[in-house]
Amino acid sequence: SQYTNPMYLDTEGLNTVRSPHAVDTSTKEIVYPLQDIVFEVYADSKPPVTSFSFKDFYPLMKDGKYIANKPLVLQLEGRDEMSGINQIYYSINGTSFLKYIDGINLSADSVYLVKYYATDNVGNVEDEHSIQVVIDLERPTTYHFIEGDHVENIVAPTAKINLEAMDSYMLKEIKYSFDNKPFKTYKGSIPLNYLAQGDHVFRYVAVDEAGHISDTGKYTFYLDNTPPVVIEELLGKTIYVNGKEYSSGRSQLKLTSFDNKAGVKEVFYSIKGKDFQKYEKPFFLSTSKGNIKVETYAVDNVNNQSKGDIEQSNKVVMPYIDLTGPAIEYKFDGPVVYTPRNTYISKNTSIKITAVDMESGLEKIEYAIDSGNIYQVHDTIKFRDNGSH
């Protein structure tokens, strides 16, 4: 009795209970000749197993998600080795479990978390399972932006193009092309320094895991890698003496700059190696004397710079700046008497005026007597009238 109340079935599936005599089910009498009766009892302790499938279309599987670009019908099917399936249940995105009848329609653009399990006819319950399904009906969108120096659609060779794309669920890749060449996969900022100067057309698209392709983006631009040109012009009189150019301190230096495309932004200059200054208008050179070395460079609106940098700026040797007038002296030729108040000469005495200039040289000597007319000295000067002069 210790093994029979209750009696446990020791085998999954078929078990038997044996009676030594068969009994007529009507008369309740033992049947002769005597024979054993075997009563079959099936033990069912294992839960059912449910599998899923998709009707008419199998989506892409990636990172544990099933991705489709159109509505799907999810089908569930249960199997039980003994007592058979009683019912399959399912839940979508955390809702209460429902009885599964015939297919689950997943039609809206969304991410679905479907949970499911089954029970058999003796009450065994399957562990809960889940599947994640992405229905992606929208195309991705993509756009570009310029990193670095640019103005409108003019870009510097140091600039880069960046791409970004957005997709409702899972973006696959971005592709791009320059000037109708084959598309490449975008992996990061795209440098432009390998492109030739001139007009270019940049195209790009995005693709999501569902196979949707975005509209093709297009960016037309001009690559400008030419720095501005600076022209130096001296405003004022210059003279060549013995092959050397001289200028006075009244001269001004004018800087003019031209650019091929982006336009000039700023011009800078340096005199005799001093700090560079921003050029605003013509400036006098009277603060310096002698041989002057002027360094200039210009920057355009996409920061192309003349000669590349300040140390390699455009170097111009200006004319020699002559700020010192000639040295002049006079002497009397003939009788002369000096007194504390006056100097006396005779009618035969003349004045000789001489001058010398050690830089640009002497041009002329001029004189006037008693605020009269100005004359150029060609010889000695004599006085015709007596009196004070």
Side-chain angles (χ1 to χ4, degrees):
S1 62
Q2 69 185 83
Y3 304 116
T4 60
N5 189 23
M7 182 179 76
Y8 287 92
L9 305 180
D10 65 340
T11 303
E12 180 73 16
L14 177 63
N15 292 265
T16 59
V17 179
R18 184 177 296 273
S19 174
H21 301 102
V23 175
D24 188 298
T25 58
S26 298
T27 65
K28 309 298 189 292
E29 298 291 335
I30 296 175
V31 177
Y32 292 93
L34 298 175
Q35 55 182 305
D36 289 348
I37 291 296
V38 178
F39 181 74
E40 295 182 348
V41 180
Y42 288 82
D44 183 359
S45 64
K46 295 181 179 180
V49 176
T50 305
S51 61
F52 67 87
S53 63
F54 296 96
K55 184 179 180 180
D56 300 330
F57 175 76
Y58 199 83
L60 171 71
M61 171 65 171
K62 185 172 184 180
D63 298 333
K65 298 182 180 68
Y66 291 88
I67 305 167
N69 58 9
K70 62 182 182 179
L72 290 177
V73 177
L74 177 64
Q75 297 175 319
L76 301 177
E77 182 180 1
R79 298 188 308 277
D80 190 77
E81 296 179 357
M82 289 296 166
S83 61
I85 295 295
N86 175 260
Q87 186 62 55
I88 300 174
Y89 298 90
Y90 73 94
S91 167
I92 298 178
N93 293 339
T95 62
S96 299
F97 278 87
L98 303 172
K99 290 182 179 181
Y100 174 79
I101 299 175
D102 183 22
I104 304 170
N105 291 312
L106 306 176
S107 57
D109 192 292
S110 184
V111 177
Y112 298 92
L113 177 62
V114 181
K115 298 180 179 180
Y116 58 91
Y117 68 91
T119 61
D120 65 13
N121 286 305
V122 294
N124 291 312
V125 181
E126 179 184 15
D127 289 337
E128 189 179 285
H129 302 285
S130 65
I131 177 176
Q132 208 166 9
V133 180
V134 177
I135 304 298
D136 186 356
L137 305 180
E138 301 293 333
R139 295 193 297 173
T141 58
T142 185
Y143 63 95
H144 76 275
F145 64 92
I146 306 300
E147 175 189 350
D149 296 318
H150 69 285
V151 53
E152 296 180 351
N153 66 332
I154 303 172
V155 300
T158 56
K160 297 178 181 179
I161 296 180
N162 290 279
L163 296 175
E164 288 194 5
M166 294 180 292
D167 187 66
S168 301
Y169 304 108
M170 298 188 72
L171 185 71
K172 182 179 180 180
E173 62 180 344
I174 306 174
K175 293 185 176 182
Y176 70 92
S177 168
F178 284 103
D179 304 325
N180 295 319
K181 293 181 179 179
F183 277 82
K184 298 179 180 180
T185 299
Y186 176 74
K187 297 181 179 179
S189 298
I190 306 169
L192 302 178
N193 54 4
Y194 69 93
L195 296 176
Q197 175 166 292
D199 292 311
H200 296 277
V201 178
F202 177 71
R203 292 181 173 86
Y204 51 94
V205 296
V207 183
D208 66 16
E209 293 290 357
H212 297 299
I213 301 176
S214 70
D215 292 334
T216 300
K218 180 181 177 182
Y219 175 56
T220 301
F221 65 95
Y222 185 94
L223 184 74
D224 182 3
N225 60 13
T226 300
V229 175
V230 181
I231 297 176
E232 297 82 7
E233 180 183 1
L234 194 65
L235 304 178
K237 183 179 179 180
T238 63
I239 186 173
Y240 281 90
V241 178
N242 297 325
K244 189 173 183 179
E245 187 178 13
Y246 291 87
S247 173
S248 74
R250 294 185 298 275
S251 298
Q252 290 180 296
L253 181 63
K254 178 182 178 182
L255 302 179
T256 305
S257 183
F258 303 94
D259 188 67
N260 66 318
K261 191 68 176 180
V264 178
K265 181 168 71 173
E266 295 173 318
V267 180
F268 295 87
Y269 70 93
S270 168
I271 299 177
K272 289 188 173 182
K274 295 181 180 179
D275 292 340
F276 277 88
Q277 302 179 57
K278 184 177 179 180
Y279 175 78
E280 302 288 353
K281 61 183 180 180
F283 55 90
F284 288 99
L285 298 173
S286 57
T287 57
S288 300
K289 176 182 177 181
N291 289 313
I292 296 178
K293 182 178 71 175
V294 178
E295 297 176 273
T296 63
Y297 72 92
V299 181
D300 67 14
N301 284 308
V302 292
N303 287 329
N304 289 313
Q305 183 172 298
S306 303
K307 300 295 183 180
D309 53 47
I310 294 176
E311 286 72 25
Q312 297 175 340
S313 60
N314 183 24
K315 297 181 180 180
V316 178
V317 177
M318 300 301 299
Y320 186 98
I321 305 300
D322 183 356
L323 301 180
T324 305
I328 190 169
E329 62 180 16
Y330 69 93
K331 66 179 180 178
F332 294 103
D333 184 12
V336 58
V337 175
Y338 297 98
T339 70
R341 295 178 59 86
N342 293 296
T343 299
Y344 296 89
I345 62 174
S346 74
K347 64 179 180 179
N348 296 320
T349 303
S350 62
I351 297 177
K352 184 176 183 180
I353 300 176
T354 59
V356 64
D357 189 83
M358 302 304 296
E359 296 179 309
S360 60
L362 182 68
E363 180 183 12
K364 61 184 177 181
I365 304 174
E366 295 177 329
Y367 75 96
I369 297 176
D370 298 332
S371 301
N373 294 331
I374 297 176
Y375 300 97
Q376 188 168 333
V377 174
H378 295 292
D379 202 351
T380 57
I381 303 169
K382 288 188 176 181
F383 290 84
R384 299 176 182 176
D385 300 327
N386 288 331
S388 180
H389 296 283

